[in-house]
Amino acid sequence: MALNLDNFKFLNDSLGYASGDKLLKLFAERLKGCLHETDAMSRHGGDVFIILLNNIHDDDSINYMVDMLLTEVSSPFAFAGRNISTSCSIGVAVYPTDGHDFEKLFGRACKAMSQAKEEGRNTARFFTEKLNTDSLHYLNIAYGLREALAHHQFELHYQPQISLKDAQVIGAEALIRWHHPQNGMQPPAQFISIAEQTGLIVEMGGWIIEEACRQGMQWQKNGLPPLSVAVNVSAVQFRRGNLDKVIIKALEKTGLNPQLLELELTESILLEDIDHLLAQLDGLKKLGVKLAIDDFGTGYFSLAYLKKFNIDRLKIDQSFVRDINTDPNDAAIVRAIVQMAHTLNLEVIAEGVEDEAMLKHLRESGCDEVQGYLFSKPLPADAFEAFIKNMYSM
């Protein structure tokens, strides 16, 4: 990476050369704080720095580092009794695609840095066109997500969950959507992975939990029966360690009965250190919330652990449901999951139910609950409320 402090000449002329040198040292310290022990950094001259990232194995790791550097540098410097705001332009060249020796890599990184400066500064450019396109997408999404949090551009849609015992709606899964100011409504597949890589998923997850609880209470005030709301919990948010505090705050603020909040955990979360995991799950259960394993059957979860966890429900992944009528193996897997879950006194819900044949097969397999487009797509809160009232009026 070649980095150039934006508008340094102006700052140098305004502050004086001695102060300018001190500012460069602060800039260097901030860059160094973003690096790993295996990385290297040097000042090339003036306000240009070189960073060598080692042990980088994929494009996302580079994009993550670029985003972190831009974010860190853009935070104001406390300097000479005032806050100095600045930014940097970054050029990136990657071995061996862009060159096999230092001179070629550095020259191409500098070309990319010049392009970044020409295109407005406070950004990064790759020498390789494909990586440049991918990086622009990553940085645009990362920046957009911060703007979305600041300007309340997120909303939740809710997909009804239906009991097969009496065909009544017993709850809803809350799914985030992003009202992008230029690109319109964006589904989570467009931004969740980048939110997790940048750590923004933690703040987003806290908002999702509180908003789902608030909406659950609002439905009750509007005359609906108490409905559970299921919220997906990111592995990043779970590992952060303060999920219990986030939930306590949301429940206290909204007044929702804890029994009506369900946390959906992926199998990847449940492959962590077992003793630590059990303590976390026990703490969550003491709050009164329910726990479910999402996308069950798609990971490497050990069935030996299942009986140790205080789980309430298993959610069969839609990849098994999709071909349940045509693939005997998928049908057998669904039956086995249902039988095992019932033996452990767990409820089972299947997602991705799209036609009557799927529904019939799941009912015959003993599945407890279902959700999918056969009943309804995820709906905005007011449309979900109308859907429920229409069902009860039939």
Side-chain angles (χ1 to χ4, degrees):
M1 292 182 174
L3 297 91
N4 184 212
L5 189 61
D6 292 334
N7 299 312
F8 179 68
K9 184 179 185 304
F10 172 79
L11 292 170
N12 213 19
D13 292 343
S14 301
L15 300 171
Y17 292 117
S19 294
D21 285 346
K22 291 179 181 178
L23 182 61
L24 282 176
K25 290 179 181 179
L26 292 175
F27 177 67
E29 289 172 3
R30 191 168 287 187
L31 294 180
K32 186 178 179 181
C34 297
L35 304 183
H36 301 102
E37 290 183 358
T38 56
D39 301 330
M41 183 182 77
S42 69
R43 182 185 175 194
H44 182 67
D47 56 343
V48 176
F49 289 78
I50 306 170
I51 289 178
L52 173 65
L53 299 181
N54 210 355
N55 294 327
I56 293 291
H57 303 293
D58 54 60
D59 300 346
D60 284 344
S61 298
I62 303 174
N63 288 325
Y64 174 79
M65 180 62 75
V66 167
D67 180 60
M68 181 165 60
L69 288 168
L70 291 172
T71 301
E72 285 295 317
V73 172
S74 65
S75 299
F77 289 87
F79 184 77
R82 69 184 85 173
N83 287 329
I84 302 294
S85 295
T86 186
S87 61
C88 70
S89 299
I90 303 175
V92 184
V94 180
Y95 172 91
T97 308
D98 300 327
H100 289 80
D101 58 72
F102 172 80
E103 291 300 328
K104 184 167 287 187
L105 287 169
F106 178 56
R108 292 182 168 178
C110 286
K111 286 183 179 179
M113 180 184 70
S114 296
Q115 183 183 0
K117 292 178 74 69
E118 290 171 3
E119 296 182 12
R121 297 183 172 87
N122 191 28
T123 189
R125 291 293 181 266
F126 281 76
F127 181 80
T128 304
E129 189 59 37
K130 181 183 181 302
L131 288 178
N132 196 40
T133 301
D134 293 344
S135 177
L136 282 172
H137 173 74
Y138 182 99
L139 293 173
N140 285 337
I141 295 294
Y143 176 79
L145 290 174
R146 293 188 179 94
E147 290 289 296
L149 282 166
H151 297 98
H152 311 291
Q153 295 171 2
F154 294 119
E155 73 171 61
L156 296 183
H157 286 195
Y158 301 87
Q159 187 167 42
Q161 298 178 327
I162 315 294
S163 169
L164 290 181
K165 179 189 292 186
D166 54 14
Q168 296 296 307
V169 178
I170 49 88
E173 180 181 6
L175 299 162
I176 192 168
R177 299 290 187 268
W178 177 14
H179 274 292
H180 193 283
Q182 284 81 42
N183 301 330
M185 188 71 79
Q186 299 293 299
Q190 299 294 325
F191 58 87
I192 286 296
S193 63
I194 294 178
E196 290 182 329
Q197 292 166 37
T198 59
L200 291 169
I201 193 67
V202 175
E203 186 176 352
M204 290 166 59
W207 176 83
I208 291 170
I209 290 171
E210 183 174 313
E211 175 62 17
C213 292
R214 185 201 66 77
Q215 187 59 63
M217 280 300 296
Q218 187 61 50
W219 283 328
Q220 292 183 47
K221 293 175 182 177
N222 293 349
L224 297 189
L227 299 170
S228 66
V229 283
V231 175
N232 294 280
V233 176
S234 163
V236 177
Q237 185 180 19
F238 189 81
R239 295 183 189 118
R240 188 61 62 93
N242 65 341
L243 185 59
D244 55 343
K245 295 182 176 63
V246 172
I247 292 170
I248 290 171
K249 178 183 175 183
L251 293 173
E252 290 180 345
K253 187 172 180 178
T254 63
L256 185 73
N257 183 340
Q259 285 288 313
L260 296 177
L261 176 62
E262 180 176 271
L263 307 178
E264 294 188 356
L265 312 173
T266 61
E267 289 188 33
S268 62
I269 293 176
L270 303 177
L271 294 174
E272 304 291 331
D273 176 73
I274 296 301
D275 292 337
H276 179 64
L277 176 63
L278 286 172
Q280 283 185 284
L281 295 180
D282 184 59
L284 293 173
K285 288 296 292 184
K286 286 179 179 178
L287 298 179
V289 302
K290 293 184 177 181
L291 302 176
I293 300 180
D294 191 20
D295 300 334
F296 187 78
T298 59
Y300 301 95
F301 183 66
S302 172
L303 297 179
Y305 295 147
L306 189 58
K307 62 182 180 181
K308 295 183 179 182
F309 298 142
N310 200 357
I311 299 293
D312 299 285
R313 186 155 68 159
L314 300 183
K315 192 169 194 178
I316 302 175
D317 185 68
Q318 60 183 330
S319 63
F320 299 119
V321 176
R322 185 183 304 116
D323 299 322
I324 194 173
N325 298 315
T326 58
D327 189 331
N329 292 326
D330 283 347
I333 289 172
V334 169
R335 286 195 301 272
I337 291 175
V338 172
Q339 291 170 10
M340 176 195 63
H342 287 171
T343 300
L344 297 172
N345 296 316
L346 304 178
E347 293 181 342
V348 183
I349 181 170
E351 61 181 350
V353 181
E354 298 182 353
D355 58 46
E356 291 288 349
M358 290 181 185
L359 182 63
K360 181 175 182 293
H361 211 127
L362 289 165
R363 184 179 281 114
E364 291 173 349
S365 298
C367 190
D368 301 297
E369 297 144 10
V370 291
Q371 69 182 82
Y373 276 52
L374 175 62
F375 304 97
S376 173
K377 65 179 181 180
L379 300 168
D382 55 348
F384 179 89
E385 181 177 332
F387 175 85
I388 301 298
K389 289 181 176 178
N390 182 59
M391 283 195 67
Y392 281 103
S393 65
M394 293 175 63

